Amino acid sequence: MTTEQLHDVRLHVNGSVHEVQVPARRLLSDALRHDCGLTGTHVGCEHGVCGACTVLVDGAPMRSCLMLAVSAVDAEITTVEGLTEDDGSLSPVQQAFSDCHGLQCGFCTPGFLTTITAGLRETPDPTEDEAREMIAGNLCRCTGYQNIVKSVLRAAEIEHERSDA
Amino acid sequence: MKPAPFAYLRPSSLEEALAALAGEQGAKVLAGGQSLVPLLNMRLAAPSMLIDINALPDLGHVRVAEDGVRVGALARHAEVLASSEAERAQPLLGMALRHVAHPTIRNRGTTVGSIVHADAAAEMPMVLRLLDGSVDVASVRGRRTIPAAELFAGPLESTLAHDEVAVEAFFPGLAPDAGVAFQEIARRHGDYALVGVAAHVETDGDAVTRASLGFVSVSDVPVVVDVTHALGDPAAKALAELDPADDIHASAAYRAHLVKVLAPRVLAAATDHARSRAGEATQP
Ligand SMILES: Cc1cc2nc3c(=O)[nH]c(=O)nc-3n(C[C@H](O)[C@H](O)[C@H](O)COP(=O)(O)OP(=O)(O)OC[C@H]3O[C@@H](n4cnc5c(N)ncnc54)[C@H](O)[C@@H]3O)c2cc1C
Ligand code: FES
Ligand code: FES
């Protein structure tokens, strides 16, 4: 067997640079988890359906299981670990999930948090319908979604409270 | 599941990409990866090399001109959808793109990639076909334009040669006295449609002078049916030409039923759209 060629890839994740050596077939999700040690990004289906692996690529939510690490070189990536405030406290969306019981087992949660963080930038005052639309591409097997919808609405409130303070 | 090994190139010029593609029989183009990477992950595809076109310059455009909308190979679904100019020139683009997957997938997947992937369950290949658009392709042998009517060869098979890269899709604009509409039934918004139907109607005064319907998920290739002379029962005309199939998502009979429900509805909506546009156009 020939050994597989490795590529030197410089990933920009949560404001830090990670120099990793990976085969071309390494998915971004696996590179984040195994090569960068950032295991907050979860992997469910690996075909784009469940949303657990969603990260922000230049601010826009994308499926890290459908990107190759070698193809992510020019991008600024934000994972769930990068959502906390500079002082380490919870971000508005994280705080809202805690307040509203928006998670149970937590497997889906990183994907929801990244997706909603970007969604609220685009729609800072979502209606309940808009909140549902925002999370329509993410699956959760535990919560029944009601508390996740509440968390979206609560996160919008917290964002406003914090920016007024 | 993980992809089988492959070689990887990330060219920074189109010439370099075309030369590499011509030189490697097992090579495939990687655009947004929203169809290709699932196939790799499930090992349904195992190319020897991927040629990643995401670093190529000048292919991210959504350009609106007199005659229609030109979409570059790196324009993401989300970018096409966000262009209000494109939506004004050809309203069917926005109507259909809202049903293409979820926003997160649309942030990465390209409209041109979706078209050349040639999935009969996808919205945009059908839209290009219904509007009589075209795709510009390039290879080391030169450039050519493939009309939509000649683009789809079979299930998930376009008529692009192995060494060709699609660089741009062209969607003709909507004439002032024409109208369009689109509706689909899916299990959940964002899923592939069980059945989707689009209509393109041209009018002259109160008369409908031309009407055609495009179908999603009821055939192996994107299909358009001319219903100009079947305005009273467009579904019967369409079903005579279509061949809905059973799969895990829906039975053939249910798909035929959905065609019967959607075809007249969408035809009526496109006719109203045409009349309201014609009305606006003649207002001082
Ligand atoms: C969960 C999920 C749901 C989805 N739902 C829908 C849906 O409802 N409707 C829908 O239409 N689509 C849906 N999609 C697919 C999505 O629209 C893809 O983005 C699109 O089909 C392919 O575009 P891409 O840029 O991602 O292409 P890629 O995945 O990169 O490529 C697809 C194929 O086209 C070839 N290719 C791509 N670009 C070029 C080019 N410029 N020149 C030559 N060959 C090229 C590739 O070699 C490959 O064979 C869904 C995808 C996922 C993951
Ligand atoms: S693991 Fe990426 S969408 Fe499920
Ligand atoms: S909290 Fe368990 S899957 Fe969502």
Side-chain angles (χ1 to χ4, degrees), chain A residues 102-109 112 139-143 148:
Chain A
L103 66 151
Q104 289 179 22
C105 79
F107 192 85
C108 66
T109 311
F112 276 96
L139 298 180
C140 173
R141 300 288 79 164
C142 300
T143 62
I148 300 183

Side-chain angles (χ1 to χ4, degrees), chain A residues 47-49 63 66, chain B residues 28-38 53 73 76-77 99-102 105 108-114 116-117 121-125 160 164-167 184 190-193:
Chain A
H47 50 271
V49 174
R63 301 291 199 236
L66 299 187
Chain B
K28 261 194 167 302
V29 171
L30 173 69
Q34 303 300 290
S35 294
L36 183 53
V37 179
I53 62 171
R76 314 290 163 175
H77 292 308
H99 294 274
V100 176
H102 301 287
I105 307 292
R108 187 78 188 164
T110 66
T111 300
V112 170
S114 166
V116 298
H117 190 55
E123 289 80 3
M124 300 318 283
L160 263 70
E164 286 177 320
V165 172
V167 289
E184 72 175 40
D191 283 9
Y192 283 101

Side-chain angles (χ1 to χ4, degrees), chain A residues 25 30 46 61 65 71 74, chain B residues 1-3 10 41 52 107:
Chain A
R25 60 173 161 156
D30 289 336
E46 291 187 335
C65 74
S71 194
D74 298 327
Chain B
M1 283 168 290
K2 308 293 173 193
R10 188 177 169 85
N41 288 352
D52 181 351
N107 282 340

Side-chain angles (χ1 to χ4, degrees), chain A residues 117-129:
Chain A
T117 299
L120 287 176
R121 276 183 212 139
E122 224 165 88
T123 315
D125 293 297
T127 62
E128 189 178 324
D129 279 351

Side-chain angles (χ1 to χ4, degrees), chain B residues 227-271:
Chain B
V227 295
T228 311
H229 303 293
L231 296 176
D233 193 356
K237 173 88 192 313
L239 284 171
E241 294 183 31
L242 295 167
D243 188 16
D246 285 312
D247 62 23
I248 55 165
H249 304 293
S251 66
Y254 182 52
R255 288 209 157 90
H257 172 73
L258 292 180
V259 169
K260 286 181 200 154
V261 172
L262 289 177
R265 217 189 257 174
V266 172
L267 182 61
T271 308

